[in-house]
């Protein structure tokens, strides 16, 4: 695979490996015959997921994980922490799920890997979910957690070296959190941002609008429904706190943008990477042929390549 994200060959069908094609076909087959989340509703979809009734097995919980509860302006907030011995710093993690699904406890394998391969304490936020808690609840929780970490990382982990990142909605919330800390608190102390197949434009980018109905994790309909759950009907979709692609992105940390070519949010990463660089920040763009939304969670060489690139990025920003 070419390391040049602007190589047209990366985006052609022949660049997709047989293994990746088989994984994608398997995902579609698994999801075609089940009830749609939007037909049963987010609450019931969450409940079924918790009971292990969805198309994908529940990830195992780590015996190493600890829960820390902090006080925020909105009340108590839980942080799930997996830390190595003698951490080199902290990685503030924000999980995905369209601001509507998911949870910090569903990311333990990823958090263990980051702790073991980078030496950073992984701290994942149990932010409030939509539609029960729409915008600005999740960004408020992430802002509060980031402030707590900035103030307490040295005492908690022996180092004030900070990074941030997340997947899908978590990448969106990571970008929003960085902007809020800069603009509201004058803090630009995060040294790296790991932004994985994020959504940065709530108007919906061209790839999100045109993806269609193939059940490869994230369809056009899903993007629309997630937006409806998260964003109030009267909100300004070009508000940088909602669509960070419209923000002034100066003084952002080095970032790694990772995305697959068969992701409805492909354009979000392509466009946001360009804006990040145009604002004078360092940024890398990693594009994975055939990668579906969420591809790093599935087995195979493509996922391992993406995870290894994330490991390398988080180690390089510590150098």
């Amino acid at each position: 695979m070419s390391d040049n994200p602007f190589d047209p060959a990366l985006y052609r069908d022949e660049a997709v490996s047989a293994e990746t094609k088989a994984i994608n076909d398997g995902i579609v087959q698994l999801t075609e015959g089940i009830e749609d989340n939007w037909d049963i509703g987010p609450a019931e979809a969450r409940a079924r997921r918790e009971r292990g009734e969805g198309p994908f097995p529940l990830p195992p919980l780590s015996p190493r994980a600890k829960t820390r509860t902090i006080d925020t302006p909105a009340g108590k907030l839980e942080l799930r922490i997996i830390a190595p011995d003698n951490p080199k710093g902290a990685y503030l993690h924000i999980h995905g799920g369209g601001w509507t699904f998911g949870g910090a406890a569903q990311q333990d394998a990823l958090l263990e890997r980051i702790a073991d391969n980078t030496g950073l304490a992984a701290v994942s936020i149990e932010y409030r979910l939509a539609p029960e808690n729409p915008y600005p609840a999740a960004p408020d929780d992430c802002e509060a957690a980031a402030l707590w970490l900035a103030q307490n990382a040295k005492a908690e982990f022996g180092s004030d070296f900070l990074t941030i990142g997340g997947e899908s909605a978590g990448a969106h919330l990571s970008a929003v959190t960085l902007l809020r800390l800069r603009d509201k608190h004058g803090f630009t102390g995060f040294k790296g941002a790991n932004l994985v197949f994020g959504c940065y434009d709530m108007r919906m980018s061209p790839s999100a609008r045109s993806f269609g109905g193939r059940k490869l994790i994230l369809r056009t309909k899903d993007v629309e429904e997630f937006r409806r759950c998260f964003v109030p009907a009267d909100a300004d979709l070009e508000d940088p706190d909602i669509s960070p692609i419209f923000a002034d992105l100066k003084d952002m940390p080095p970032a790694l943008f990772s995305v697959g070519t068969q992701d409805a949010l492909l354009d979000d990463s392509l466009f946001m990477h360009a804006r990040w660089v145009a604002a004078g920040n360092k940024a890398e763009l990693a594009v994975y042929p055939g990668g579906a939304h969420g591809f790093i969670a599935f087995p195979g060489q493509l996922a391992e390549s993406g995870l290894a690139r994330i490991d390398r990025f988080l180690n390089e920003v510590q150098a």
Side-chain angles (χ1 to χ4, degrees):
M1 183 182 74
S2 172
D3 286 334
N4 176 11
F6 306 108
D7 182 352
L10 276 181
Y11 301 87
R12 297 174 185 150
D13 287 343
E14 53 265 33
V16 183
S17 71
E19 179 185 58
T20 298
K21 289 179 181 177
I23 290 170
N24 289 352
D25 289 344
I27 291 170
V28 173
Q29 290 171 9
L30 276 173
T31 55
E32 279 289 356
I34 63 171
E35 287 185 278
D36 196 293
N37 283 340
W38 309 115
D39 292 335
I40 63 175
E44 176 61 20
R46 285 188 216 121
R48 293 186 185 186
R49 174 68 171 157
E50 289 295 327
R51 296 194 298 265
E53 297 175 2
F56 307 110
L58 278 173
L61 298 177
S62 171
R64 297 164 54 185
K66 299 179 180 178
T67 299
R68 177 68 183 269
T69 302
I70 64 172
D71 293 315
T72 78
K76 302 291 185 181
L77 178 64
E78 288 189 355
L79 306 176
R80 188 169 180 86
I81 301 171
I82 297 178
D85 295 332
N86 303 312
K88 299 176 182 178
Y91 173 69
L92 184 62
H93 174 260
I94 309 177
H95 71 78
W99 312 276
T100 304
F101 299 118
Q106 296 177 23
Q107 314 295 317
D108 283 4
L110 176 63
L111 302 188
E112 281 189 342
R113 178 181 178 123
I114 287 172
D116 292 341
N117 290 359
T118 72
L120 299 173
V123 181
S124 195
I125 307 169
E126 197 71 83
Y127 60 86
R128 288 170 289 168
L129 297 176
E132 297 87 349
N133 299 283
Y135 172 89
D140 287 351
D141 288 348
C142 294
E143 176 189 354
L147 282 174
W148 177 86
L149 190 63
Q151 295 163 0
N152 293 280
K154 183 73 172 178
E156 294 285 331
F157 305 115
S159 171
D160 56 6
F161 182 87
L162 303 178
T163 56
I164 190 171
E167 306 78 42
S168 192
H172 163 273
L173 291 168
S174 295
V176 168
T177 299
L178 288 168
L179 291 165
R180 283 187 172 206
L181 262 63
R182 182 198 67 187
D183 295 343
K184 296 173 64 176
H185 308 283
F187 182 82
T188 55
F190 282 88
K191 304 302 183 183
N194 173 42
L195 304 175
V196 188
F197 34 77
C199 178
Y200 309 109
D201 186 349
M202 289 295 171
R203 301 173 311 170
M204 295 178 61
S205 63
S207 62
R209 290 171 179 265
S210 65
F211 188 84
R214 188 184 184 205
K215 283 196 166 184
L216 193 57
I217 302 299
L218 189 72
R219 306 160 296 172
T220 296
K221 176 182 177 180
D222 298 315
V223 181
E224 293 170 343
E225 292 290 345
F226 282 135
R227 179 179 66 181
R228 183 182 61 80
C229 287
F230 176 59
V231 182
D234 60 348
D236 177 5
L237 298 182
E238 296 182 9
D239 181 342
D241 200 49
I242 292 173
S243 294
I245 200 163
F246 292 102
D248 176 353
L249 294 171
K250 67 182 179 184
D251 298 325
M252 291 290 100
L256 170 63
F257 293 88
S258 303
V259 70
T261 61
Q262 293 188 22
D263 190 332
L265 299 180
L266 171 61
D267 285 349
D268 289 70
S269 288
L270 299 182
F271 299 168
M272 193 63 161
H273 167 263
R275 292 223 59 238
W276 207 271
V277 172
N281 308 299
K282 293 182 179 179
E284 303 172 31
L285 175 62
V287 177
Y288 296 88
H293 192 70
F295 76 91
I296 62 169
F298 296 97
Q301 183 55 46
L302 201 70
E304 181 53 38
S305 295
L307 291 167
R309 182 76 178 265
I310 289 168
D311 292 343
R312 186 163 69 249
F313 171 77
L314 291 173
N315 282 311
E316 287 174 350
V317 295
Q318 297 180 61

